[in-house]
Amino acid sequence: MRVQPSVKKRLQPLFPETAIAKRVQELAQDFAALDLHDPLAIPILKGSFMFAADLLRAMHYAGLDPEVEFMMLSSYRGEQSSGQVVISKDIEGGVEGRDVILIDDILETGRTLAFARDLLMARGARRVMICCLLEKPGKRAVDVSADAVGFQCPDHFVVGYGMDVSHSFRQLPFIAYIPQDGDS
Ligand code: IMP
Ligand code: MG
């Protein structure tokens, strides 16, 4: 069912396009300043696609040219985390001895990124760094922290800039939230 028309009117802007673009440049410069060994960037699909596209271009302009592969993981059903992480698409090459940058949209319970980090470390990565656009504080269920975070995210369900509710709103160039009952 298309949620877009009815929910669209209720969207509350959170992070505008200009703020995201500025932060993406800063993140790219931070990574470019590191001495990375055979870097491989892995966007975690699907929610990170827009962030990853902008971040990878910004990395190029900052002088960092990682190889790029994709992994599709899901741990989220509707608006409630299911806890279980499933690999829908794996990377094709090896990671042995390489510095990996995982790129994701949101670090919430941390289950998705902890799973990916542990998997790639077990495959022999030299280092696995985590870069996420948003971090929801106070939600962590497992021991994982990001090496780079775009913004701290208030405890709302957010959409836009790749992030969705039932595949809607990924196309928005900004980040907004959908007010729920009880939200201030
Ligand atoms: P977790 O850290 O394993 O709990 O899951 C994080 C993933 O849940 C993110 O990569 C998103 O795909 C999804 N997610 C968490 N919060 C939101 C939200 O507010 N909007 C859209 N997706 C979300
Ligand atoms: Mg995700």
Side-chain angles (χ1 to χ4, degrees), residues 42-57 68 70-72 103-106 133 160-164 167-173:
I42 306 180
I44 307 294
L45 298 174
K46 306 170 195 145
S48 72
F49 82 93
M50 204 178 277
F51 174 47
D54 286 345
L55 182 65
L56 289 163
R57 274 179 289 202
V68 182
F70 298 92
M71 195 176 258
M72 194 184 296
I103 302 173
D104 206 359
D105 53 357
I106 303 182
L133 177 62
Y161 199 63
M163 296 171 285
D164 73 310
H167 306 297
S168 284
F169 304 119
R170 291 193 200 276
Q171 83 287 358
L172 296 175

Side-chain angles (χ1 to χ4, degrees), residues 75-76 81-85 106-115 117-118 135-145:
S75 68
Y76 215 77
S81 187
S82 69
Q84 176 96 22
V85 181
I106 303 182
L107 179 61
E108 191 175 40
T109 66
R111 286 194 183 97
T112 311
L113 283 163
F115 174 90
R117 176 202 60 193
D118 294 349
E135 179 175 30
K136 287 189 179 177
K139 294 275 184 172
R140 215 73 75 246
V142 294
D143 183 22
V144 63
S145 58

Side-chain angles (χ1 to χ4, degrees), residues 71-125:
M71 195 176 258
M72 194 184 296
L73 299 175
S74 49
S75 68
Y76 215 77
R77 301 281 174 268
E79 297 183 13
Q80 292 295 317
S81 187
S82 69
Q84 176 96 22
V85 181
V86 180
I87 305 180
S88 313
K89 188 216 173 296
D90 205 342
I91 55 169
E92 290 162 15
V95 294
E96 208 165 339
R98 307 185 72 173
D99 286 344
V100 175
I101 305 169
L102 290 174
I103 302 173
D104 206 359
D105 53 357
I106 303 182
L107 179 61
E108 191 175 40
T109 66
R111 286 194 183 97
T112 311
L113 283 163
F115 174 90
R117 176 202 60 193
D118 294 349
L119 180 74
L120 296 166
M121 286 305 289
R123 289 180 185 173

